[in-house]
Amino acid sequence: MAIFKGAGVAMATPMKEDGSINFDAMEKMIEYQIRNHTDAIIAVGTSGEASTLDDDEHLEAIRFCVEITKGRVPVIAGTGSNNTAHAIMMSREAEKRGADGLLLVTPYYNKATQDGLIASYTAIAEAVNIPCIMYNVPSRTGTNIQPETAAYIGKHVKNIVALKDACGNISQTARTLELCDGVLDLYSGNDDQIVPIMSLGGSGVISVLSNVAPQFTHDMCQKCLDGDFSGAAKMQLGSLALIRALFCEVNPIPVKAALNMMGFDAGKPRLPLTEMTEEHQASLRAAMKNFGIL
């Protein structure tokens, strides 16, 4: 059961000058996304600075996204944790607030075994009634969901329906798709690999790029879904300079700077993340101008 196909935005969480969530800016960002045909909104994931929001803020951001979106596109809530009990609590609370699905990052820092990943994901999924997406991003968590593990979970846990794959290893991604054999939808977690992954059977992307270029990212995915991989490849290659600029510092530092340049009042990231350097801001601004955003 696909939660969505195409381009879901890994939405940044805008902040006021005092560091609190800027809900007025969030509403404007959500409306901009929907107006430009984003296929899903992923709230309070990595790009949304989940790691530095307290639980009340985190859940209020999810509730607000659901309220403003009004069912026009799915809202997928980031509720993963390195503490399985905490992930269960947050997942249940997100479900109560109307989330259409959950994004569950692998436990970070603990470095769980593959058996531990199976047990943790199973426990979280069995505690809720909405579909779940596993999130594999070993560069940030130190834990890698092996293809065999993803396939086992997909075949044995009914409401784990997808994998966000940011492993960066296209051979691993291909092996995962081979072993899953359709039991999991697979979304690219890297904006520079959208078309390669969709050409292997991926369902779309959970995208940082979509924060600033939602229509473009949607259209690139739609070309893949329509079988126009030549056209999609041209778009992918044409977006690489902007993608590099959006990742020249750790996400979401650059995308918040980009949103500020676009007038969305995204504010600063919370510590330990800092504002983008002036040199990188200049490079990002140039990339956005070349892309036609500014």
Side-chain angles (χ1 to χ4, degrees), residues 20 45 65 89 94 111 125 144 149 175 221 249 264 291:
S20 62
C65 283
M89 182 276 289
K111 303 189 79 169
N144 186 19
T149 302
R175 177 65 171 157
C221 290
E249 293 186 27
F264 281 110
F291 200 77

Side-chain angles (χ1 to χ4, degrees), residues 23-154:
F23 288 103
D24 289 340
M26 184 180 286
E27 181 174 1
K28 292 176 183 176
M29 289 164 57
I30 291 169
E31 293 297 344
Y32 173 72
Q33 289 296 319
I34 294 174
R35 191 165 63 248
N36 285 278
H37 301 103
T38 281
D39 297 293
I41 290 175
I42 293 78
V44 205
T46 303
S47 301
E49 298 180 78
S51 60
T52 50
L53 297 181
D54 67 34
D55 290 351
D56 289 341
E57 291 175 310
H58 192 139
L59 293 169
E60 179 59 15
I62 292 166
R63 186 207 62 77
F64 185 82
C65 283
V66 171
E67 176 188 320
I68 299 302
T69 301
K70 296 183 175 68
R72 289 173 288 174
V73 296
V75 174
I76 299 164
T79 55
S81 173
N82 67 331
N83 176 348
T84 302
H86 187 251
I88 288 171
M89 182 276 289
M90 292 295 286
S91 298
R92 285 173 169 164
E93 293 298 322
E95 181 177 14
K96 290 177 185 176
R97 285 159 178 77
D100 298 291
L102 304 173
L103 181 67
L104 303 170
V105 71
T106 54
Y108 39 87
Y109 189 77
N110 309 56
K111 303 189 79 169
T113 65
Q114 298 301 300
D115 285 345
L117 292 176
I118 292 169
S120 182
Y121 275 121
T122 300
I124 299 166
E126 289 182 345
V128 296
N129 299 296
I130 53 177
C132 304
I133 304 172
M134 298 180 289
Y135 178 17
N136 191 32
V137 57
S139 65
R140 295 188 81 125
T141 66
T143 302
N144 186 19
I145 304 175
Q146 295 296 334
E148 294 79 7
T149 302
Y152 179 90
I153 293 171

Side-chain angles (χ1 to χ4, degrees), residues 13 15 49 52 252-253 256-257 266-276:
T13 300
M15 306 287 186
E49 298 180 78
T52 50
I253 291 173
K256 293 197 89 169
K268 299 183 289 188
R270 286 185 177 177
L271 290 171
L273 300 185
T274 53
E275 289 189 89
M276 198 177 194

Side-chain angles (χ1 to χ4, degrees), residues 159-266:
N159 61 325
I160 292 186
V161 301
L163 171 69
K164 177 184 176 182
D165 185 354
C167 74
N169 181 340
I170 200 71
S171 296
Q172 177 176 316
T173 302
R175 177 65 171 157
T176 299
L177 284 162
E178 177 191 12
L179 291 177
C180 287
D181 193 26
V183 299
L184 290 177
D185 291 315
L186 191 144
Y187 302 106
S188 175
N190 292 322
D191 284 313
D192 60 354
Q193 293 184 340
I194 297 170
V195 176
I197 286 176
M198 292 190 74
S199 74
L200 291 168
S203 297
V205 63
I206 294 177
S207 170
V208 173
L209 175 65
S210 283
N211 279 278
V212 299
Q215 185 70 60
F216 176 92
T217 314
H218 165 85
D219 290 348
M220 178 164 48
C221 290
Q222 191 60 53
K223 283 185 181 293
C224 290
L225 294 170
D226 292 341
D228 181 9
F229 287 102
S230 176
K234 289 181 181 178
M235 295 180 76
Q236 179 79 88
L237 294 174
S239 66
L240 291 180
L242 176 58
I243 292 167
R244 285 194 296 270
L246 286 169
F247 287 91
C248 67
E249 293 186 27
V250 67
N251 179 50
I253 291 173
V255 76
K256 293 197 89 169
L259 288 164
N260 286 329
M261 292 175 195
M262 295 171 70
F264 281 110
D265 295 325

